[in-house]
Structures are given as C-alpha cells and as structure tokens.
Amino acid sequence: MAIQKLVLDTLEDDDYELIAIHCSLASYRLAFLLNKNLNLKLFRKKKDINFEYPDFTANFPLYQYEDHFQYNTYSLLANKFQALGVSKNHIADGLFNTIEETYTTKYLIPELKNVDYFLKIETETSKFSNSSLVTQLLTISQVITAYSVEYTQLKSKNNLIFE
C-alpha cells in the first residue's frame, strides 16, 4: 500500500497594510471624510465586530469598501469601546444608597491604546502604495496623525481577522 504525503507549504498568512489614525471624530464622520478625500465608498456593515466580556459585549464599528477595479478591500475599525457600568455603594450609617457610574474602556488592539482608528487595506496586487495613502490621510485637517503599523509585531493581530 502506497502512502501519500501532502505538503502544505503554499499556505501563507493574509497580507494587508495597517494604518493607525489618531482622530477625535466619531466613526461615521471619519468614514465620511475618508470617502470625500480619498475617493472611497466606505459604508457601515450590518454586523459590528463583537467581543464578549463577563459584564458586557464590546461592539467595534466596522466600515468597509471593496474596490473591484484595484482589487483592494478597505476596512475602517474603531480601536476603543467604552461601556457604562453602574455600581451601588452602601453607606452603613446613612439612609441613602449612592450610585456611581463608571466607564470601562476596551481596545481592539490593546498594545496601541492611543490609536483611535485603524484602516486595514487588503490587497491582491503589489502596486499598492501605503505611503501615498498616509500622505493623503495627513491632508485631512481633522486627522491629527496617521502612520503605518507593522501588524506582524502585534500580539493581538488576530483581532483584525473578522471575516
């Protein structure tokens, strides 16, 4: 009986470009500005990226655009999610209970807590220029700064896989 051996050396990780964006705008406003200035057509997906925690579910909004002519897929992701938590403190000698509202912040990529948004570009061609896109992002007055991130160095890079 012959033994067959299959070698799967051709499988490789998805290659994509990742750009960090520092901006204080809401996600829908930033998506509008990117559409206007970069000639994209980002739209909000019906399903957000959700992570379950014991107390709550963190929802990170996802905007996406598939450019069929250039074979690129652009995804705009928020990095921060704030959840409102309520805790009751009982005072032993008082008549009233005090209620404190606390905010819990969760991050999509915890290593980069200062980043507000990520622009993930999945491309199938080698003609994509990441530096020109960063230069175009920096021309938007509401964007504080933008720069490329080497995603292979991130510990939580699996959070960027959402399909």
Side-chain angles (χ1 to χ4, degrees):
M1 177 184 276
I3 297 176
Q4 294 182 354
K5 183 178 178 183
L6 299 175
V7 180
L8 299 175
D9 287 338
T10 59
L11 294 177
E12 59 185 54
D13 291 337
D14 288 337
D15 286 334
Y16 56 88
E17 301 291 330
L18 189 65
I19 298 174
I21 301 172
H22 294 263
C23 179
S24 61
L25 295 175
S27 59
Y28 67 92
R29 301 247 326 150
L30 180 60
F32 172 77
L33 288 173
L34 294 179
N35 287 343
K36 181 180 173 186
N37 294 310
L38 302 179
N39 294 325
L40 299 178
K41 295 177 181 137
L42 292 167
F43 66 95
R44 177 109 185 231
K45 297 290 279 190
K46 292 185 188 215
K47 289 187 120 182
D48 292 339
I49 299 172
N50 299 326
F51 288 102
E52 296 290 330
Y53 293 99
D55 298 338
F56 58 90
T57 301
N59 300 319
F60 298 95
L62 171 64
Y63 293 82
Q64 205 166 44
Y65 167 57
E66 293 183 20
D67 186 0
H68 297 291
F69 297 111
Q70 300 290 329
Y71 301 108
N72 295 335
T73 301
Y74 298 87
S75 301
L76 179 65
L77 305 151
N79 189 36
K80 296 178 184 176
F81 176 79
Q82 285 191 335
L84 178 64
V86 176
S87 63
K88 292 184 180 180
N89 291 334
H90 297 286
I91 300 173
D93 47 76
L95 296 173
F96 303 104
N97 292 332
T98 59
I99 298 174
E100 289 183 358
E101 294 181 346
T102 58
Y103 285 96
T104 304
T105 304
K106 295 294 180 180
Y107 300 95
L108 186 66
I109 306 294
E111 300 93 84
L112 300 171
K113 291 183 178 180
N114 293 330
V115 175
D116 296 315
Y117 297 97
F118 290 105
L119 186 62
K120 177 182 172 184
I121 303 104
E122 298 171 79
T123 182
E124 295 181 17
T125 62
S126 60
K127 294 187 266 183
F128 182 77
S129 175
N130 192 13
S131 60
S132 66
L133 187 62
V134 171
T135 305
Q136 288 177 336
L137 279 169
L138 292 173
T139 61
I140 302 172
S141 63
Q142 290 87 348
V143 172
I144 298 167
T145 188
Y147 51 89
S148 296
V149 174
E150 187 62 40
Y151 73 91
T152 57
Q153 305 298 322
L154 298 175
K155 294 177 189 173
S156 55
K157 64 183 172 188
N158 289 338
N159 291 353
L160 296 171
I161 302 171
F162 44 82
E163 292 187 23

